[in-house]
Amino acid sequence: MAAEVEEVFFREWRRRGPGETRSLERARALAERLALPDPDRPVLAVVGSKGKGTAATYASAVLAASGLRVGTVTSPAYRGNRERIRVDGRAVGEAELERLAGRLQDGIRGLPGRAGGYLSPSGLFLLAGALHAREAGLDVLVLEAGMGGRSDEISLFPPAVAGITPVFREHAGVLGDTVTEIAEEKAGAVAPGTRAVVSAPQSEEAARAIATTVRKITGGAVETPRAGGGLSADLLPADLLPAGLSRSAAETGHLAALRLLDACDRDAPPPRRLRATLETLTLPGRLSWHGVPGTGTALLADSAIDRAGLAAAVTTARTRWGTIDHAVVCLPDHKDVDGAITELRDLPVTCVRLPYDHLRFSRPLPETWDVIDAAALTRESLAGLGRRVVVLGTVYFIGLVLDLVDADTDRLFTPPPP
């Protein structure tokens, strides 16, 4: 993405002052200047702590398989920011993103000063994606929340249907201090006119908070069924679901898409067309397999950030390979570093530090672990770690690795022709 285009989306975030937070009110004012939201374009909103991108991708694929033209906005990107906005699974082009940035910039010039906070990058991409959907005449929008729900820019787009992926104690002190408070905040993206809400399996604490919040907002008109909880008739065949912890998110996205089709009086996609679409679906960085170009090294890349996710990735790699030569991990202090130490205790490990001021890498690590800066990670250094390497950590880090190995992230699925 050209520097001047990137500046539009990231300028205010990069110039934020100490303690300054994003401003939902300024985002709302910008949306109004852009004549958003568009009431003629139904929205499927995806919120939660983990698996939002998977749920949004599966929901988009199911809707596209039904014959609808689907706009999808997710966050963050894999290799480049144009991937945050997609049409029927394909990332928008550089020229289109530049045009959208220009539209945003025109709107931002008319806003009052930043006394109330900054415009967040994820919120601006959300507005750009909605703007593109309207101007391209798309049928529906699938929007992934950046972080929260009620306090996130996704709340500016009242959803016809909401999908809620697993909620845990993430961003404690920002979204809330307990799982209950965080679940209430995320479920707060639901609107009075929401027709259906589908939740992934949750802890009892999160499930109660979600159900209570949804009933309160919708006046008791909407219940919150859980994917996998007595809805087996709606579930996809096992061979069309991803492995590991992404499975429940995929089921949630699928069920939410079916509910949106119901709300729009549209038929579910024919089984053969749905299968043809989902057989093309890829989830880069979610237990995805790659080769290091020009070498014999194979990688398993997964954006695991807690012990359960790390364990699932290690098990998946050992099931295919038998043995693992090396693990490369990137977990800032606020992620589950202790879980990583436990799950990777039998492996040679290299820990990678990212050069971002807002991330800290100060937690004590085992003496046997190598520690390097991200700039030292190259194709050659990856290949030097062995022939079977697992790469684990934050989405931003996994994106860096996907870029190194030139992974195809431009298209996530391909619906067959009508």
Side-chain angles (χ1 to χ4, degrees), residues 29-180:
L30 177 57
E32 291 173 355
R33 292 182 64 84
L34 298 171
L36 296 172
D38 179 358
D40 296 328
R41 217 159 310 285
V43 169
L44 190 161
V46 180
V47 300
S49 299
K50 184 68 174 174
K52 297 191 296 292
T54 297
T57 300
Y58 267 80
S60 299
V62 172
L63 293 170
S66 76
L68 296 174
R69 295 193 68 210
V70 184
T72 309
V73 184
T74 56
S75 179
Y78 297 106
R79 298 180 58 187
N81 281 303
R82 64 185 184 83
E83 298 167 353
R84 295 178 185 240
I85 303 172
R86 297 178 182 269
V87 176
D88 291 343
R90 181 180 288 280
V92 298
E94 294 287 354
E96 183 57 36
L97 190 60
E98 181 177 357
R99 189 189 67 78
L100 292 169
R103 293 291 307 279
L104 289 181
Q105 183 58 46
D106 290 343
I108 292 170
R109 289 193 184 102
L111 296 180
R114 287 180 50 178
Y118 62 85
L119 293 169
S120 74
S122 62
L124 289 172
F125 279 106
L126 204 69
L127 294 177
L131 185 63
H132 180 61
R134 184 183 70 207
E135 295 177 350
L138 306 185
D139 298 310
V140 295
L141 261 176
V142 177
L143 304 179
E144 176 191 347
M147 182 170 66
R150 183 184 297 114
S151 65
D152 191 272
E153 290 84 358
I154 200 169
S155 65
L156 303 178
F157 295 86
V161 173
I164 304 178
T165 65
V167 175
F168 49 83
R169 196 169 178 270
E170 179 196 42
H171 303 298
V174 178
L175 299 181
D177 294 323
T178 66
V179 170
T180 292

Side-chain angles (χ1 to χ4, degrees), residues 179-202:
V179 170
T180 292
E181 291 174 352
I182 293 169
E184 289 172 347
E185 210 285 333
K186 290 183 182 287
V190 171
T194 297
R195 301 276 296 277
V197 177
V198 175
S199 172
Q202 307 282 355

Side-chain angles (χ1 to χ4, degrees), residues 132-289:
H132 180 61
R134 184 183 70 207
E135 295 177 350
L138 306 185
D139 298 310
V140 295
L141 261 176
V142 177
L143 304 179
E144 176 191 347
M147 182 170 66
R150 183 184 297 114
S151 65
D152 191 272
E153 290 84 358
I154 200 169
S155 65
L156 303 178
F157 295 86
V161 173
I164 304 178
T165 65
V167 175
F168 49 83
R169 196 169 178 270
E170 179 196 42
H171 303 298
V174 178
L175 299 181
D177 294 323
T178 66
V179 170
T180 292
E181 291 174 352
I182 293 169
E184 289 172 347
E185 210 285 333
K186 290 183 182 287
V190 171
T194 297
R195 301 276 296 277
V197 177
V198 175
S199 172
Q202 307 282 355
S203 68
E204 286 305 314
E205 184 180 0
R208 283 195 302 270
I210 290 169
T212 300
T213 302
V214 170
R215 284 196 298 268
K216 185 182 299 183
I217 293 173
T218 63
V222 176
E223 295 297 322
T224 313
R226 298 188 216 176
L231 298 172
S232 57
D234 285 330
L235 298 182
L236 295 168
D239 65 314
L240 293 179
L241 290 165
L245 302 181
S246 293
R247 179 170 182 150
S248 70
E251 291 175 347
T252 301
H254 172 231
L255 288 169
L258 294 182
R259 300 298 179 263
L260 185 63
L261 290 170
D262 287 342
C264 297
D265 294 322
R266 300 274 305 207
D267 293 332
R272 181 174 296 182
R273 184 176 172 86
L274 178 62
R275 173 170 287 278
T277 302
L278 294 184
E279 284 177 343
T280 70
L281 191 148
T282 62
L283 295 170
R286 275 89 170 176
L287 294 178
S288 58
W289 305 93

Side-chain angles (χ1 to χ4, degrees), residues 301-328:
D302 191 63
S303 53
I305 57 172
D306 60 18
R307 182 176 178 181
L310 292 158
V314 168
T315 298
T316 300
R318 284 181 168 147
T319 298
R320 172 176 285 201
W321 292 333
T323 61
I324 298 170
D325 295 326
H326 207 96
V328 181

